[in-house]
Amino acid sequence: MAPRPAGHIRVHPILPALSTEKFYTGVKKKPGPKRKQLAESLRAAPRCVEYPYRSYKVSYKLRVLSYWITPSIGAGPTQLRKPTRAETATRFGVPEANLSRWKKEEQEGKFQGLTLEQYRVPGGGRRRKWEVLEQALYEKFQYRRASGGIVRRGWFRRVSKELFLQHYPDEAQTSFCFSNGWFRRFLSFHQVSLRFVTNTASQLPSDFSNAILNWMRFNRRNSQLRPGNGQVPGDVLADVGRYTLSNIVNMDQTPLPFEYLEGRTYNQKGEKTIWAQSSHSGWDKRQATIQLAVFADGIPRVKPLVFFRGLGVGATILTERETYDPQVVVKFNPKAYANSSNMVEWLDEQLVPILEGQPTLLVHDLFGAHKTEEVLDTFSANDIVVSMIPGGCTSLVQPLDVSINQPFKDILRVSRLTFR
């Protein structure tokens, strides 16, 4: 049998390759992205959804629940469906757990009898461990504020510890802690806030750093040992150059109010008038001056000096002097603060006798009574080098201003309010 002839095969000629210009005709080429550094390409881990802690009014809770149970989401051309719990939480920005709890509280009737402006439902929130103590503390607070007394954090701390010992005698003293969290919850539960007046602080000089450096150089220069001569012996090396710690003194005066009615006090929220009662008429505008002195070795050697306004004469003053504490020196002058004569008296009666003729460095501010000719002559006659702190810098470098005056006034304030 003769072989069957093969079919015809149609062969296409090889087409020439298209050029780049013709291949990309009509296509706009875009530059690729620039290569980024590895540190720039790393992405931060996605943050979880956080809901800031906040309290909600009853009216807001009912509004959210009403939206949750009302069909308002389109489910077809003519149908609506109720929003899910997740959709409701997303719309109002509240945790989903809150919705379930609010729905349960509404079904149990806990919202009944409450005003729309209330926040807390009965039985809600964290259980209070020291409920009897908190109630007694709140009653004492109300009584004190009703009588015009100032209430500070220190008062709450002291009274709460006294009430704990009174109402929980069988509990260990360490079981109750006046912590920031407990105090914050106590204030929030009883709607108590701290009301205060803003005081403007003194402004530092623009070149205070150079002023302080020059002051420190002055102190170092005057601490160097002085060579002796044929008549006067030279200085002996002491604790700080030629000065012993017992002969480095810082002295300062600070106002002493008769009444602590300014500043701030805890009071009920919502009240626009915050009042305080004065013990005597006009005492909130009167003040004395106290002069304190501290030594570098920390040992008290001079008594506090208190200046009252007046002449210090009369039968009433003489009777009052018998009640003064012997550890405090009391002086009178027309303006209730130290003048040149008072400074010289203080030097002659208190400071100079304890220096024992040793070189002394006295640090104080630029108050005018410290710089009179009479006072400077007294310093020079007793080998006292005066180191005057640059103006406006006492809050930075004066030990009394930095570490002592404010704690002293706080202790005095607590004592004054305690024994009122």
Side-chain angles (χ1 to χ4, degrees):
M1 184 176 179
R4 186 177 179 180
H8 296 283
I9 300 176
R10 191 173 182 179
V11 179
H12 293 276
I14 299 176
L15 298 177
L18 295 176
S19 62
T20 305
E21 289 76 9
K22 292 183 178 181
F23 185 79
Y24 287 104
T25 302
V27 179
K28 186 177 181 180
K29 294 184 293 182
K30 297 182 180 179
K34 296 182 180 180
R35 175 174 292 184
K36 295 183 178 180
Q37 298 292 334
L38 181 61
E40 299 177 359
S41 61
L42 293 178
R43 296 182 179 179
R47 298 181 60 184
C48 60
V49 178
E50 296 182 359
Y51 296 97
Y53 173 79
R54 55 172 295 189
S55 57
Y56 303 91
K57 295 182 180 180
V58 174
S59 58
Y60 188 82
K61 296 177 183 179
L62 294 177
R63 176 187 170 191
V64 175
L65 294 178
S66 177
Y67 176 82
W68 190 11
I69 64 176
T70 303
S72 57
I73 305 296
T78 59
Q79 294 181 352
L80 296 175
R81 64 173 178 85
K82 297 179 181 180
T84 63
R85 187 178 72 165
E87 291 173 340
T88 306
T90 302
R91 176 179 176 83
F92 289 93
V94 297
E96 295 184 25
N98 284 18
L99 301 181
S100 301
R101 187 175 70 253
W102 295 348
K103 184 176 181 180
K104 183 178 179 181
E105 292 173 351
E106 196 272 337
Q107 292 174 350
E108 294 176 352
K110 291 187 176 181
F111 292 155
Q112 297 180 1
L114 300 179
T115 63
L116 297 179
E117 298 300 317
Q118 284 186 264
Y119 288 86
R120 189 181 300 274
V121 299
R126 182 175 177 178
R127 297 295 183 271
R128 294 182 294 160
K129 184 177 181 181
W130 316 108
E131 188 171 355
V132 177
L133 181 150
E134 293 183 16
Q135 183 61 30
L137 180 62
Y138 179 64
E139 292 175 357
K140 282 185 172 291
F141 161 75
Q142 285 186 312
Y143 177 79
R144 185 172 183 82
R145 286 300 300 136
S147 61
I150 297 295
V151 179
R152 302 293 293 272
R153 183 186 177 95
W155 182 91
F156 277 113
R157 181 187 295 107
R158 178 179 57 81
V159 176
S160 62
K161 291 182 179 180
E162 294 176 358
L163 293 175
F164 175 78
L165 297 177
Q166 177 182 347
H167 293 283
Y168 302 93
D170 299 332
E171 295 282 350
Q173 295 186 9
T174 56
S175 58
F176 172 72
C177 178
F178 188 87
S179 62
N180 292 333
W182 177 86
F183 187 53
R184 184 176 63 251
R185 290 190 295 272
F186 171 81
L187 297 178
S188 175
F189 183 83
H190 293 284
Q191 296 292 299
V192 178
S193 62
L194 181 63
R195 312 294 293 271
F196 63 94
V197 177
T198 304
N199 296 324
T200 305
S202 58
Q203 186 176 4
L204 292 173
S206 58
D207 58 341
F208 71 94
S209 58
N210 292 331
I212 292 177
L213 287 176
N214 292 333
W215 174 72
M216 295 177 66
R217 293 189 186 104
F218 170 85
N219 294 335
R220 177 172 296 182
R221 184 168 60 251
N222 284 274
S223 300
Q224 305 302 317
L225 298 179
R226 296 175 298 185
N229 51 37
Q231 299 178 353
V232 181
D235 293 324
V236 180
L237 182 63
D239 300 321
V240 182
R242 66 191 186 98
Y243 302 120
T244 60
L245 295 180
S246 60
N247 286 72
I248 301 178
V249 193
N250 177 216
M251 180 268 293
D252 186 35
Q253 293 98 10
T254 184
L256 201 63
F258 282 22
E259 287 279 5
Y260 292 92
L261 301 182
E262 76 290 345
R264 48 189 177 176
T265 179
Y266 285 97
N267 198 74
Q268 291 290 149
K269 291 183 178 179
E271 296 187 11
K272 296 183 178 180
T273 302
I274 311 300
W275 72 283
Q277 185 178 16
S278 176
S279 300
H280 295 76
S281 177
W283 271 27
D284 57 326
K285 299 179 181 179
R286 295 184 60 186
Q287 63 182 18
T289 301
I290 186 169
Q291 178 174 300
L292 302 175
V294 293
F295 294 78
D297 59 356
I299 300 176
R301 292 182 173 83
V302 297
K303 300 178 181 180
L305 179 59
V306 179
F307 296 97
F308 288 116
R309 186 188 305 274
L311 301 178
V313 295
T316 304
I317 299 298
L318 295 177
T319 304
E320 184 181 287
R321 285 182 182 273
E322 299 178 358
T323 63
Y324 292 162
D325 193 302
Q327 299 180 3
V328 178
V329 178
V330 178
K331 299 287 185 180
F332 290 85
N333 66 39
K335 295 186 178 180
Y337 58 80
N339 54 31
S340 177
S341 300
N342 297 135
M343 281 297 303
V344 174
E345 290 179 4
W346 178 76
L347 291 171
D348 293 338
E349 296 175 1
Q350 291 204 64
L351 186 61
V352 173
I354 66 171
L355 299 180
E356 300 178 353
Q358 299 297 321
T360 302
L361 180 67
L362 178 61
V363 181
H364 57 64
D365 54 25
L366 295 174
F367 180 52
H370 301 164
K371 302 181 293 181
T372 62
E373 184 177 356
E374 183 182 9
V375 174
L376 294 178
D377 289 343
T378 306
F379 288 148
S380 178
N382 294 278
D383 198 10
I384 300 176
V385 175
V386 180
S387 175
M388 296 188 181
I389 300 174
C393 299
T394 55
S395 61
L396 300 176
V397 296
Q398 178 161 240
L400 281 165
D401 275 354
V402 173
S403 305
I404 298 176
N405 284 346
Q406 189 59 45
F408 170 78
K409 289 185 177 181
D410 291 340
I411 295 173
L412 190 63
R413 180 195 298 266
V414 172
S415 301
R416 178 68 180 86
L417 297 179
T418 302
F419 297 104
R420 180 175 177 175

